[in-house]
Amino acid sequence: MTTKERPCGKGLAHSRTRQAGFTLLEAIVALVLISSAGLALFSWINGNIMALTRIHDVNARSEATANILEYMDRVNPMLTPEGEAPLGAYSIKWGSQATSNITEGVGYPQGQSLYQMALYSTVISVRTAGDQIWFELKLQQVGYKRVRSNSIMN
């Protein structure tokens, strides 16, 4: 430590002690810099967590959509125009409406086939375990029904 004497206004000696270390002002500036860097870091982490949550939701919805499409591939809307089914953590409920007239299928090489068919618009509502609507899907499906027997004419 060093001591310097300096004359004051009235000629009295004033001693000032110089100390090694931080002053209060330097400590406050350092805390402000560290806290602003911490706040920026916290904001960045929060943004990444929110993005990760959105990605998780999109992935869950994509997986559910793939499962629903696979399930609905086996549903014939002409025979089962409405229904519901549990699919693990969620359930689906669907309703179908014909969007075209019922037409006769064409047999090969000529004549009518054994089936009638029509195009259907199917709306699928996906519900969570709490019976809240998660999302909805709209599909176009072909419905068919066997109307003739496979008798061979002699």
Side-chain angles (χ1 to χ4, degrees), residues 63-64 67-68 71 84-92 126-131 134:
E63 183 180 334
N67 290 339
I68 291 164
Y71 182 85
E84 53 187 282
L87 295 176
Y90 51 90
S91 63
I92 61 172
V126 185
R127 298 178 179 270
T128 60
D131 205 33
W134 184 15

Side-chain angles (χ1 to χ4, degrees), residues 118-135:
L119 186 61
Y120 285 81
S121 177
T122 305
V123 177
I124 304 163
S125 137
V126 185
R127 298 178 179 270
T128 60
D131 205 33
Q132 293 179 340
I133 294 179
W134 184 15
F135 64 94

Side-chain angles (χ1 to χ4, degrees), residues 12 64 118:
L12 299 172

Side-chain angles (χ1 to χ4, degrees), residues 56-67 134-135:
H56 176 70
D57 291 344
V58 166
N59 284 343
R61 183 176 167 157
S62 294
E63 183 180 334
T65 300
N67 290 339
W134 184 15
F135 64 94

Side-chain angles (χ1 to χ4, degrees), residues 49 83 85 148:
I49 289 173
R148 293 179 231 344

